[in-house]
């Protein structure tokens, strides 16, 4: 029988047969499907409330909301500093959620192509954007990261490089704290 660990005084089940072990190995998780299904149902309800003006959120949700807004504000400050959005530059917001970054970019004059793996999130972002007076434009679609079409990797890297160079020194400490 295979060894197993359990808290003192408790019995733990052990998987001892090759067939049982084989069965566990055969269970494949489709991560994209799980993420898509979560953010099209329960996840959408939770996260869209967090990223709204609703006061019906708990202390953890308020903390997430304020941390997310702080990040968005920092990114927008960098973009305001170099005037790329005001100049009508094109931005890609992959994993746009409810449009927390895409919409402010379009308000500043940028052309934003935004996507999310969740149709519920992308549709909510489009609804929010449609009620705004945008200087630029924002389009929202349902897509996962691997299916996005756009500039080649080198073109994307050169376009994003100035922003990444600003972000890296500021985030190294935060990443080290994880």
């Amino acid at each position: 029988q295979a060894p197993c660990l359990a808290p003192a005084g408790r019995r733990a089940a052990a998987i001892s047969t090759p067939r049982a072990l084989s069965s566990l190995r055969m269970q494949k998780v489709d991560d994209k499907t799980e993420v898509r299904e979560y953010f099209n149902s329960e996840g959408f309800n939770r996260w869209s409330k967090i990223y709204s003006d609703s006061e019906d959120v708990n202390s953890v949700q308020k903390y997430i909301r304020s941390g997310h807004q702080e990040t968005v504000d920092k990114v927008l400050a960098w973009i305001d500093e170099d005037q790329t959005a005001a100049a009508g530059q094109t931005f890609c917001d992959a994993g746009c959620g409810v449009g927390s970054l895409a919409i402010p970019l379009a308000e500043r004059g940028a052309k934003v192509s935004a996507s999310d793996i969740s149709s519920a999130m992308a549709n909510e972002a489009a609804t929010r954007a449609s009620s705004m007076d945008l200087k630029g434009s924002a389009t929202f679609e349902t897509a996962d990261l691997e299916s996005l079409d756009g500039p080649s990797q080198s073109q994307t890297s050169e376009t994003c490089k100035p922003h990444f160079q600003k972000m890296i020194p500021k985030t190294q400490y935060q990443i080290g704290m994880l």
Side-chain angles (χ1 to χ4, degrees):
Q1 189 167 9
C4 59
L5 301 174
R10 298 209 176 204
R11 300 183 83 183
I15 299 172
S16 57
T17 66
R19 184 176 181 177
L21 287 171
S22 176
S23 173
L24 282 176
R25 287 186 199 117
M26 301 273 298
Q27 294 176 358
K28 185 178 177 188
V29 176
D30 181 358
D31 293 336
K32 284 185 194 179
T33 299
E34 282 192 21
V35 169
R36 185 180 302 110
E37 288 174 357
Y38 172 75
F39 282 103
N40 278 330
S41 59
E42 179 183 347
F44 172 75
N45 295 330
R46 288 181 181 175
W47 289 98
S48 63
K49 186 192 306 183
I50 290 170
Y51 299 138
S52 73
D53 294 330
S54 172
E55 292 300 320
D56 184 28
V57 290
N58 63 38
S59 60
V60 172
Q61 292 169 323
K62 283 181 184 177
Y63 182 76
I64 292 168
R65 178 188 285 171
S66 67
H68 179 262
Q69 189 58 53
E70 184 178 319
T71 301
V72 169
D73 291 344
K74 284 180 184 178
V75 171
L76 292 172
W78 297 332
I79 291 169
D80 289 345
E81 184 180 303
D82 67 14
Q83 296 294 304
T84 51
Q89 289 288 323
T90 300
F91 288 82
C92 172
D93 185 358
C96 67
V98 296
S100 302
L101 181 60
I103 294 170
L105 285 171
E107 285 179 311
R108 286 164 167 73
K111 295 175 222 157
V112 183
S113 177
S115 64
D116 200 280
I117 195 169
S118 162
S119 58
M121 290 289 194
N123 291 338
E124 176 65 17
T127 298
R128 291 182 184 193
S130 70
S131 67
M132 310 288 288
D133 183 25
L134 305 177
K135 293 179 187 174
S137 63
T139 58
F140 298 91
E141 66 175 299
T142 303
D144 67 70
L145 291 173
E146 294 176 331
S147 69
L148 295 177
D149 289 329
S152 69
Q153 181 69 28
S154 62
Q155 289 172 318
T156 303
S157 296
E158 288 305 309
T159 303
C160 298
K161 195 175 192 178
H163 298 293
F164 288 143
Q165 287 172 335
K166 290 178 188 175
M167 288 171 42
I168 289 170
K170 296 176 183 181
T171 58
Q172 280 179 339
Y173 175 76
Q174 295 168 341
I175 292 169
M177 296 297 291
L178 295 178

